[in-house]
Amino acid sequence: MNKFTKGLGACMTAIIVASGAMAEPADDTLVINEDIEIVTRTAAPAHLSDVMDEVMSGWLFRGTETRAMEMDDFDNPGMIFVEKAEDMWNTADGSEGKSCADCHGASSEMAGVRPVYPKYVEAAGEVRTMEMAINDCRENRMGAEKWKYIGNEMVNMTALMASVSRGMPVNVAIDGPAQSTWEQGKDIYYTRFGQLELSCANCHEDNYGNMIRADHLSQGQINGFPAYRLKNTKLNAVQDRFKGCIRDTRAETFAPGSAEFVALELYVGSRGNGLSVEGPSVRN
Amino acid sequence: MKVSIIALAASVGFAATAYAADVVPTAVSYTDGAVEMSLTGMAGNPEEGANIVGDKGLGNCVACHEVSALPDIAFQGMIGPALDGAGDRWSESELRGIVANAKMMFEGTMMPSFYKDTGYIRPGNAYTGKAADDTLGPLLSAQQVEDVVAYLATLKD
C-alpha cells in the first residue's frame, strides 16, 4: 500500500465515520440507455413481510461511478460478453447442426424467460436454473457438449438471457411443486456456516446498509446476475458468488450446480420478486 | 497471507508443549458469559492485542467494530458496537468471555467465537472453501485472546 492509498484510506474512513448517511443506499433511479426503466426498490414480497418492508437492488449500494457504468451499455463491460453470446446464439453446434436461433428465433424472443428462473420443470421433475435449462438444450436438442456450470460460455449465455429481459420483474414461483426446494433454500439461507458461523441473513438481512470493513453490505439480491465485478474484471455467475460467500465464512463451501445452490438460488431469487431483471449488472 | 498466519498460529498452539498450560477451548468455564480465569495463566500484551484487533489476517475486529484509538486503520466497520470505552463498560472477565465466545453472553449474536474449535456447521480449512482437517484450531490462540483482552481493557473513555 503506497502513501497515497494509505492517506486516501484514512481519509475515507474519516468520511465514513463522520457521516452515517454515507452508508445509506443511494437515492437514485436506474434507467439503462435512457430507455429501460429498472425497478431498484419496491415493496418486499409477502413471504418476507416479517423481516423487511422493502427490497433493494445491489445497484443502490454501489458508488456513483459504478452505478453510472450500468446506465449505458457502452459503459457496461458486461455487455461485451452479451455480444459474444449473441454470436454463439446464432452459431450451429453439436451433432444436430442446430443453433439456439434455429429453435428459438432471435435472442430477444427469450424476453420473459429469465424472470421466472429457477423454476420447477415438469418434464424433469425438479427445480432447474437457467444454466440447467441451457445445458438440457445443448445435450438433448443440439447433441452438443454440456458447458461447465460457471464456464465462460455459460456465463456469457446467461448474460444474454438476462439482458433481453432487463426491466421485467423477477417473478420466481415459490409454491406448488417448487415449495419443498424453496424451503430447503430458506434453511440454507438462515444456516450459520463455517468457523465464523455466519448465515446469509447475518449480513444481508440484518445488516444491509452497514459497512463491514470496506464493504457496503447490500441485501444480497441476485436480480443483477450475472454481474460484472470491478474486483475481478469478469462476469460472475450467481452460484460462483454463493460459493465465495460461504467460503468466506471459513466453511466447506458448496459446488456451483449442486442441489444446495439450486435451492438457495430459488430462495434468494424469490426474495427479489418485484425487482427488475438487471443483468449483466456492474458491481464492485 | 491471512490463511497462513492463522494456520501457523493454530499449529504452533497445538504443537508446542510450552502451551500445555493453556485452557483448551472445550474446557473454558463461562459464568454469565464471563471467563474469570486467564486462558494462559500469563498477562496479555496490550500492544500485540492492538495489532490483532486491527490485522485483517488475525482478529480483524475492526471489520465490524469501530476503534477510535486506532485511527491509522482504514475502513472500520459498523456492524457491532464501537469498542471505545470497552474497558470501562466491561470487566476483564467479561471481556475475555466476549472475545472467546460472545454467544455465551449475547444469545444469537453475529459475532464469531474466537476461542472455540468444535460445534461448527461445515467447518472449512481457513478460506480455501475446502473441508477442515484435524488441525482445525480456534480462530485465535489462548495467548492472542489474552492479548486482545489486555488491549480492550485499555480502552477507557
Side-chain angles (χ1 to χ4, degrees):
Chain A
M1 194 184 267
N2 64 34
K3 263 185 191 158
F4 174 73
T5 51
K6 237 181 189 166
L8 186 68
C11 169
M12 290 292 288
T13 306
I15 294 167
I16 290 162
V17 170
S19 149
M22 179 99 180
E24 292 296 312
D27 182 13
D28 200 357
T29 52
L30 175 56
V31 181
I32 298 172
N33 302 332
E34 297 183 350
D35 176 36
I36 309 167
E37 290 183 20
I38 302 289
V39 174
T40 56
R41 57 166 87 211
T42 191
H47 70 87
L48 286 183
S49 61
D50 56 340
V51 292
M52 56 177 69
D53 298 330
E54 197 178 31
V55 288
M56 288 177 259
S57 164
W59 184 79
L60 294 170
F61 295 83
R62 302 285 67 101
T64 312
E65 292 82 9
T66 309
R67 291 203 309 278
M69 289 176 80
E70 203 181 306
M71 294 173 135
D72 189 315
D73 282 355
F74 287 107
D75 297 328
N76 181 341
M79 292 308 291
I80 295 160
F81 304 98
V82 168
E83 281 175 34
K84 286 186 180 180
E86 181 65 39
D87 289 342
M88 205 165 276
W89 180 266
N90 293 300
T91 305
D93 194 8
S95 60
E96 303 306 303
K98 286 185 195 167
S99 70
C100 308
D102 286 331
C103 289
H104 295 290
S107 59
S108 58
E109 295 289 317
M110 302 302 277
V113 174
R114 171 71 259 185
V116 299
Y117 270 88
K119 71 168 189 179
Y120 183 82
V121 177
E122 192 70 47
E126 63 179 1
V127 170
R128 290 199 159 172
T129 60
M130 204 69 251
E131 285 88 341
M132 292 160 83
I134 290 167
N135 263 345
D136 182 56
C137 257
R138 287 189 57 79
E139 218 180 1
N140 299 313
R141 296 195 191 212
M142 299 167 73
E145 290 277 310
K146 287 207 284 189
W147 281 330
K148 284 187 188 160
Y149 198 90
I150 53 169
N152 291 339
E153 296 94 340
M154 182 62 89
V155 180
N156 293 353
M157 189 56 73
T158 63
L160 175 63
M161 293 296 93
S163 72
V164 298
S165 287
R166 283 186 297 179
M168 301 175 81
V170 175
N171 183 22
V172 174
I174 67 172
D175 52 3
Q179 193 185 343
S180 61
T181 307
W182 183 83
E183 298 282 359
Q184 186 197 352
K186 184 176 179 181
D187 281 348
I188 293 170
Y189 189 89
Y190 287 102
T191 298
R192 297 185 63 167
F193 288 111
Q195 211 180 356
L196 298 182
E197 297 178 291
L198 295 172
S199 69
C200 307
N202 282 136
C203 286
H204 298 294
E205 181 172 289
D206 299 337
N207 278 294
Y208 64 85
N210 286 335
M211 303 297 297
I212 189 163
R213 203 86 206 227
D215 289 328
H216 192 195
L217 288 172
S218 73
Q219 288 186 347
Q221 296 289 353
I222 61 173
N223 58 305
F225 277 88
Y228 182 88
R229 297 188 73 191
L230 302 171
K231 183 178 184 172
N232 59 16
T233 63
K234 69 179 184 96
L235 270 185
N236 293 261
V238 65
Q239 293 194 15
D240 201 15
R241 191 75 280 274
F242 289 168
K243 178 185 163 188
C245 249
I246 293 187
R247 176 199 64 213
D248 289 346
T249 70
R250 297 175 71 101
E252 177 188 5
T253 192
F254 298 98
S258 63
E260 289 87 353
F261 275 171
V262 171
L264 184 61
E265 185 179 337
L266 172 65
Y267 177 69
V268 179
S270 79
R271 291 175 69 99
N273 275 351
L275 293 172
S276 295
V277 171
E278 203 184 299
S281 63
V282 184
R283 298 288 188 262
N284 288 12
Chain B
M1 198 58 199
K2 61 187 166 194
V3 173
S4 57
I5 289 169
I6 292 179
L8 183 69
S11 63
V12 167
F14 276 99
T17 47
Y19 291 73
D22 291 356
V23 179
V24 298
T26 46
V28 178
S29 168
Y30 293 85
T31 307
D32 297 328
V35 176
E36 201 176 323
M37 214 173 73
S38 164
L39 301 178
T40 59
M42 289 188 287
N45 174 349
E47 280 175 29
E48 184 50 30
N51 178 42
I52 294 164
V53 165
D55 192 317
K56 218 176 164 188
L58 294 170
N60 199 20
C61 310
V62 294
C64 291
H65 300 279
E66 193 189 330
V67 188
S68 307
L70 299 173
D72 291 344
I73 294 175
F75 302 117
Q76 302 189 2
M78 37 194 269
I79 304 290
L83 300 181
D84 301 355
D88 283 329
R89 288 195 299 281
W90 308 101
S91 69
E92 185 188 300
S93 303
E94 288 167 333
L95 289 170
R96 185 178 292 112
I98 295 169
V99 174
N101 187 353
K103 297 174 188 78
M104 304 301 279
M105 192 176 297
F106 307 110
E107 196 186 337
T109 180
M110 175 176 169
M111 182 167 160
S113 305
F114 287 88
Y115 200 64
K116 172 178 151 171
D117 58 1
T118 53
Y120 298 123
I121 300 170
R122 292 178 75 88
N125 187 344
Y127 293 102
T128 63
K130 295 187 169 62
D133 55 27
D134 56 11
T135 64
L136 179 81
L139 291 166
L140 295 178
S141 70
Q143 189 57 51
Q144 287 173 321
V145 171
E146 292 303 325
D147 292 345
V148 170
V149 169
Y151 174 65
L152 295 176
T154 69
L155 298 177
K156 310 248 185 192
D157 282 329

